[in-house]
Amino acid sequence: MVNSSPLKIAVLDLYDGSANMGMDCILEILDNWSNERSVEIQITLFDVRAKNELPGIEFDLYLSSGGPGSPIDTHEAQWDINYCNWLDKMYLIKKPVLLICHSFQLACRHFDIGKVGLRKSKQLGILPIHPTTPHSIFDQLPDPFFALESRLYQITEPNDEKIQSMEAAIIALEKIRPQLPYERALMAVAFNETMIGVQFHPEATKERLINYFNTDKIKAAVLEDFSEDKWDQIMHSLEDDSKIENTCSKFIPNFLNQMLLA
C-alpha cells in the first residue's frame, strides 16, 4: 500500500493534440475515485507525442491514453523511441501502468507480444470483451463485459515464446465470431503483475459517449462508414447500464484500488 499523500498519478496523453474525449473521461474517473475513496490525488499530465513529454519514476501510478494514427509508422519518431524506453523502465521497476488502446498497441509492438496490423475493416461499437483467465482487474465484471472499441489496428498471432519469457499473460480476447474465418484479436495483456494493457476504452463514460455520438459530425460519419443500424445499435447499447456504465465504473477503479490501496 502506498502511504504518500497525496498519491501522485501521471496521465500520459497520446492524442497528439487532436480533439478527443478520452482524456476528459480519464480525469473524470480519477476525480470520482478520489472522492468516493476519500483519497487525495495529484494528477500531472504529459503530452507524449506533441511535446515529447514523459514522466519520471516518482509517480505512484501511470495511465497512458489512446490516440489516433498508426502504431507502426512512428517507430523511428523520437517520441516513440523515448516512449518505448519509458515502457522498458516501467516494466523493470514494476510501476503500476495501465495502457489504453494506442498505448497498448505500441507496447505490444515494442515487446513483440504479437503481430500489430490493420484490421480488415474498422471496428466501432459497444462490444463484448471475453476474459480468458481470472484476473483481479475484472472484479465485479461479467463474462463477457462490454466496452467501447474504436480501432483500425489489432494484435493477433501472439508470440507465445516472448510472452512466456516476459512472464506476461493474455487475459482477454475480442468477441467470438464463429461465422468469420479470422483469428480473434488480443484485447488485454498483463505484461507483468503491475503493467496491464487493453485494446478497448475502459475510460469511456456513458453520458460523454451519448453526447459524442449524437453530434451531427459523428453521426454522419457513422452513417457514411457503417449504417444507420450501426448507429442505432450503439445508442441502444449506451442506454443499457449493464454495459458501458458498468465497465467504466469498475475497470479503472479496480486497477486503482489494487495498485494503490491493496
Side-chain angles (χ1 to χ4, degrees):
M1 178 177 177
V2 176
N3 293 316
S4 59
S5 182
L7 294 171
K8 296 180 179 179
I9 297 177
V11 178
L12 286 69
D13 180 351
L14 272 75
Y15 281 98
D16 200 21
S18 63
N20 72 91
M21 64 176 174
M23 291 295 292
D24 290 337
C25 289
I26 289 171
L27 297 176
E28 180 181 341
I29 288 173
L30 289 173
D31 185 58
N32 289 341
W33 179 83
S34 173
N35 291 331
E36 289 169 4
R37 290 287 181 167
S38 298
V39 175
E40 185 181 359
I41 60 174
Q42 178 182 310
I43 300 170
T44 306
L45 304 180
F46 294 86
D47 191 336
V48 176
R49 295 169 71 171
K51 297 182 181 178
N52 201 7
E53 295 176 342
L54 286 165
I57 64 172
E58 68 272 19
F59 292 89
D60 298 306
L61 183 140
Y62 303 76
L63 297 176
S64 189
S65 80
S70 166
I72 304 169
D73 296 344
T74 59
H75 71 280
E76 292 184 349
Q78 193 59 54
W79 73 262
D80 189 315
I81 294 169
N82 293 345
Y83 183 78
C84 291
N85 290 335
W86 175 82
L87 285 172
D88 284 334
K89 183 183 297 183
M90 295 296 105
Y91 174 82
L92 288 172
I93 64 177
K94 295 187 176 180
K95 282 284 189 171
V97 179
L98 181 62
L99 306 162
I100 297 171
C101 200
H102 196 86
S103 296
F104 169 67
Q105 294 167 353
L106 291 172
C108 287
R109 187 206 75 203
H110 174 62
F111 290 122
D112 194 22
I113 292 296
K115 178 183 177 182
V116 184
L118 278 167
R119 285 177 49 83
K120 192 171 183 65
S121 61
K122 183 178 181 180
Q123 181 73 290
L124 178 70
I126 312 304
L127 298 167
I129 312 296
H130 295 265
T132 56
T133 187
H135 194 285
S136 55
I137 196 74
F138 304 130
D139 283 357
Q140 302 179 67
L141 287 170
D143 179 6
F145 62 93
F146 287 78
L148 172 68
E149 287 190 50
S150 178
R151 59 190 173 96
L152 287 168
Y153 291 83
Q154 63 181 0
I155 318 298
T156 55
E157 301 178 26
N159 183 344
D160 294 333
E161 184 177 342
K162 184 62 182 293
I163 291 169
Q164 185 176 3
S165 70
M166 286 182 65
E167 298 184 351
I170 298 168
I171 59 175
L173 293 174
E174 71 174 330
K175 67 179 181 179
I176 299 170
R177 301 175 298 169
Q179 76 279 14
L180 297 176
Y182 303 132
E183 182 180 359
R184 291 166 69 198
L186 278 60
M187 296 304 291
V189 171
F191 295 93
N192 60 21
E193 58 265 43
T194 57
M195 179 183 286
I196 295 174
V198 298
Q199 178 61 83
F200 52 92
H201 287 275
E203 80 280 16
T205 60
K206 174 181 174 179
E207 293 304 322
R208 290 184 188 276
L209 282 182
I210 288 174
N211 291 336
Y212 175 77
F213 282 109
N214 268 314
T215 61
D216 292 340
K217 178 181 177 181
I218 299 304
K219 182 175 181 179
V222 173
L223 296 182
E224 180 179 352
D225 293 344
F226 298 95
S227 65
E228 187 166 356
D229 284 345
K230 166 66 80 171
W231 187 83
D232 288 340
Q233 182 185 61
I234 291 171
M235 299 309 295
H236 179 72
S237 294
L238 287 173
E239 293 295 343
D240 184 347
D241 284 347
S242 71
K243 291 185 176 180
I244 199 77
E245 184 73 12
N246 191 43
T247 299
C248 79
S249 69
K250 293 183 175 66
F251 194 93
I252 292 179
N254 280 348
F255 186 74
L256 297 169
N257 291 340
Q258 291 148 21
M259 298 298 172
L260 296 177
L261 303 182

